[in-house]
Amino acid sequence: MIMAMVSQETEKACENGAQIAIDPRESEPAFSLGTDMDDLGTRTYSIEKMKDGGISFHYTMEKNINTIMPSNTTDDYIVGEGSKFTSKLDYTLKGTEFQRLSELDYTKFDDSDAWKLFNNLEKTDDGSKQYAEHKLEKIVNSFSQEFKVNATCIMSINMTLMPSETDLIG
């Protein structure tokens, strides 16, 4: 469980999840960020075992960004030095839930419906094809009840967007 939390999936949830949550339909990233591949920023993890046997997990991602691209355009907007993206995640799993999850037979977990929802494009009223509205929520709801995790998860993001040199001169 802990290895899953410190995997790349937590990072993807904190960055990509935020981008999807801001989308009006909550189905596709509302924006994408460009970074300098030589400066990947910092990530910090803190995991605590609680008295009841549960876990408390805290994650922070901070990275400098040099471009932002809204989903409704193909244009990258250059941002200035000091621009950054910060995402924080606090996740708490009580001991009783941790114990319940540890006793499940995961060979019975079926995510085939989730994958269909994840990859499916639907025709919309305007004739375009888009992912289902509230896609991630529908994916979670496709799991059988016994495999749904009862935990507290709070995520926040903050972006600092500074003007580029061109914007300052123009």
Side-chain angles (χ1 to χ4, degrees):
M1 174 87 170
I2 292 171
M3 288 306 296
M5 297 299 285
V6 297
S7 75
Q8 67 180 348
E9 297 307 314
T10 296
E11 181 157 328
K12 287 172 20 182
C14 284
E15 184 169 344
N16 301 347
Q19 294 168 356
I20 291 171
I22 292 172
D23 176 61
R25 297 179 71 245
E26 294 181 24
S27 64
E28 298 187 60
F31 61 90
S32 59
L33 302 171
T35 61
D36 180 352
M37 293 308 290
D38 293 329
D39 177 12
L40 298 178
T42 60
R43 280 70 168 158
T44 57
Y45 298 86
S46 169
I47 302 169
E48 303 166 41
K49 184 176 180 183
M50 299 184 314
K51 289 181 182 181
D52 72 353
I55 60 169
S56 180
F57 175 79
H58 311 281
Y59 171 80
T60 301
M61 169 203 308
E62 292 184 336
K63 66 181 185 175
N64 296 322
I65 56 176
N66 53 29
T67 60
I68 185 168
M69 185 172 76
S71 64
N72 61 351
T73 181
T74 56
D75 296 330
D76 280 349
Y77 294 94
I78 297 171
V79 294
E81 189 173 333
S83 297
K84 67 180 181 174
F85 177 82
T86 304
S87 181
K88 294 183 179 186
L89 174 83
D90 293 307
Y91 186 89
T92 305
L93 183 68
K94 292 182 179 180
T96 53
E97 182 68 354
F98 191 88
Q99 183 64 34
R100 184 189 74 79
L101 294 171
S102 71
E103 295 170 359
L104 291 176
D105 179 359
Y106 288 95
T107 62
K108 295 179 180 177
F109 179 71
D110 180 8
D111 63 353
S112 55
D113 286 341
W115 278 108
K116 289 176 191 170
L117 288 164
F118 183 78
N119 293 311
N120 186 40
L121 292 172
E122 299 177 343
K123 193 170 186 178
T124 60
D125 293 339
D126 67 3
S128 66
K129 287 193 169 191
Q130 296 182 2
Y131 290 107
E133 193 167 15
H134 304 287
K135 172 179 146 179
L136 298 179
E137 182 180 342
K138 288 177 180 176
I139 288 170
V140 170
N141 288 338
S142 75
F143 300 150
S144 76
Q145 189 61 37
E146 71 180 312
F147 292 107
K148 291 181 183 176
V149 178
N150 183 9
T152 301
C153 183
I154 300 170
M155 191 180 92
S156 65
I157 65 164
N158 183 39
M159 273 196 284
T160 302
L161 301 174
M162 303 300 290
S164 68
E165 290 293 322
T166 305
D167 290 334
L168 290 172
I169 295 170

